[in-house]
């Protein structure tokens, strides 16, 4: 899979593409270094800078494999997903280490995500044996009318770096079990992790061409997937700017598409909330994975009655969080995933101050000479944030919490909805009436009561409202809607 005998970069694995059941160097011959965000001088891998030709060969392989793959029973396809799950689980430590070294999340979170990947594979392996249609009474007494499902064909998967195992698996597993073949473009930042995931599929024995991976620039391989006439469906997770372009390109050539994009997720703390639980949920939802989750809590909307008490309790805990290298077991909060993320976060902290928010804590480069070349930022808590500020409107994707005061629950819900996004929203309360009001009035695809904004159950539909999504849903049984087309069958003897 990889070649660590590279003469210029000893011990730095050279990543290949995976096409037609084989590991292949990019035809361009070009690779670029990927760096460890905790120690930016450390090269983690040399990742392919593939070209459109590499992508086209992968699409041809997927096309050549799809007829035979489609003809298998769902249970036969599912059996291979079960094998991939076992392999992924058995390599959890190796994959977790690769993930932490590539994008910085703590090793515990990275291993947890890998275990989640195995669980998703098993869930969809089981889907191969579940019902895919309905019998509908026909008006002709002699006829049988029913629905069945057909795969789309070749599915292009474009995934981000922030969940480099779980997200591609929650796209590829349903695509495969419902009879599609796959061409996957992982984020180049997490190419080593991606190649280890792909190796599990390889070892599981998927027929050649059923699943392929091509790594390269988003503008070349990602855009190429959106444009390629041989790709029948495109599933994308990433930023809203790129997602909208991918969707428009796919739509223009009549391909099916699905987009999951950004968030600006609020947590509301009502006057009757258990404040200790609410503080823990705010910290876990907002700062785990260094705030780099699409479902991360970003706006903390607290009603006036408990504002000061909540703020004091929050600060007491945030100031104690241990920032450091995710491989260190003491670390709670790792670095930003890349220099680009790090600079973006610092820029938002500067903007927050300029716009008049009060930085109560953090938002600074870590003052530790041993970690001087990592992209570490201490977790930031802003007070006196208003809805018009950039830190309340734009997705930061970093360890920044913006405290916003609301008069009462009505105003809090109004503030929560005052965003172009609609992915996740949470309320802490002990009042059933408040909970019901929030569930009914909040514009979010994931509505959480007394639970943090982040946190997703793999068997439940996942996706956003408004600008967060193309309004389709991933995961659980909802995934069948994207990866198949309904066939309505009317049959007479
Ligand atoms: P990104 O949009 O920069 O990249 C996502 C993927 O698209 C990568 O594989 C990238 O290489 C590719 N890409 C880049 N330019 C492209 C182009 N012109 N055409 C086609 N593909 C292109 O996003 P990112 O920085 O990797 O990830 C962070 C973003 O992802 C955040 O906005 C976050 O909210 C979002 N996200 C959303 C969800 C969700 O389910 N809603 C989950 C995780 C992350």
């Amino acid at each position: 899979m990889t070649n660590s005998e590279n003469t210029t970069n000893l011990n730095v694995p050279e990543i290949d593409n995976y096409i037609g059941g084989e590991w292949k160097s990019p035809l361009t011959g070009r690779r670029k270094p990927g760096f460890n965000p905790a120690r930016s001088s450390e090269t983690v891998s040399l990742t392919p800078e593939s070209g459109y030709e590499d992508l086209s060969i992968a699409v041809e392989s997927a096309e050549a494999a799809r007829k035979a793959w489609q003809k298998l029973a769902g249970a036969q396809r599912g059996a291979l997903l079960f094998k991939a799950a076992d392999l992924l689980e058995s390599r959890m430590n190796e994959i977790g280490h690769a993930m932490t070294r590539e994008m910085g999340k703590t090793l515990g979170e990275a291993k947890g995500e890998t275990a989640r990947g195995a669980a998703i594979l098993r869930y969809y392996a089981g889907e191969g044996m579940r019902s895919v249609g309905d019998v509908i009474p026909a008006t002709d007494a002699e006829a049988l009318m029913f629905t069945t499902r057909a795969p789309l064909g070749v599915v292009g998967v474009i995934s981000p770096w922030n969940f480099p195992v779980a997200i591609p698996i929650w796209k590829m597993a349903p695509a495969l079990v419902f009879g599609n073949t796959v061409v996957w473009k992982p984020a180049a930042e997490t190419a080593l992790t991606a190649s280890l995931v792909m190796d599990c599929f390889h070892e599981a024995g998927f027929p050649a061409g059923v699943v392929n991976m091509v790594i390269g620039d988003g503008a070349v391989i990602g855009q190429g997937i959106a444009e390629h006439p041989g790709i029948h469906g495109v599933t994308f997770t990433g930023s809203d700017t790129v997602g909208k372009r991918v969707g428009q390109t796919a739509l223009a050539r009549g391909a099916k598409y699905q987009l999951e994009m950004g968030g600006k997720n609020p947590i509301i703390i009502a006057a009757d909330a258990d404040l200790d639980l609410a503080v823990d949920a705010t910290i876990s939802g907002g700062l785990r994975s260094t705030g780099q989750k699409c479902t991360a809590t970003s706006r903390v909307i607290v009603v006036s009655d408990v504002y000061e008490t909540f703020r004091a309790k929050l600060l007491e805990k945030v100031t104690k969080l241990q920032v450091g290298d995710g491989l260190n077991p003491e670390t709670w909060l790792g670095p930003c995933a890349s220099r680009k993320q790090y600079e973006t976060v610092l820029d938002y902290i500067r903007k927050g101050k300029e716009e008049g928010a009060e930085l109560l804590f953090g938002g600074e480069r870590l003052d530790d000479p041993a970690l001087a070349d990592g992209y570490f930022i201490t977790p930031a808590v802003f007070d006196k944030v208003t809805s018009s500020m950039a830190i309340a409107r734009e997705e930061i994707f970093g360890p920044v919490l913006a405290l916003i005061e609301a008069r009462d629950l009505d105003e809090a819900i109004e503030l929560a909805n005052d965003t172009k996004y609609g992915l996740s929203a949470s309320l802490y309360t002990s009042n059933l009436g408040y909970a019901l009001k929030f569930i009914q009035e909040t514009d979010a695809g994931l509505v959480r009561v007394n639970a943090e904004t982040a946190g997703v159950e793999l068997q439940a539909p996942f996706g956003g409202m408004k600008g967060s999504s193309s309004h389709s849903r991933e995961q659980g049984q909802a995934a069948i809607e994207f990866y198949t087309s309904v066939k309505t069958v009317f049959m007479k003897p």
Side-chain angles (χ1 to χ4, degrees), residues 53 78 126 167 239 274 329 392:
E53 210 184 332
I167 290 179
S239 60
D274 179 321

Side-chain angles (χ1 to χ4, degrees), residues 135-146 489-492:
V135 175
I136 302 149
T139 50
D140 182 335
E142 283 188 352
L144 174 63
M145 186 160 70
F146 61 95
V489 182
F490 183 91
M491 190 170 73
K492 282 184 81 166

Side-chain angles (χ1 to χ4, degrees), residues 444-464:
L446 306 169
V447 180
R448 322 246 314 152
V449 178
N450 295 324
E452 65 178 69
T453 59
V456 168
E457 299 257 350
L458 63 95
Q459 69 279 25
F462 174 81

Side-chain angles (χ1 to χ4, degrees), residues 159 161-162 185 222-223 237-239 242 245 261-262 294 395 462:
S159 58
W161 47 262
N162 71 329
K185 191 214 94 61
Q223 183 64 17
T237 296
S239 60
V242 174
R245 193 173 324 139
M261 300 172 285
C294 52
E395 185 183 47
F462 174 81

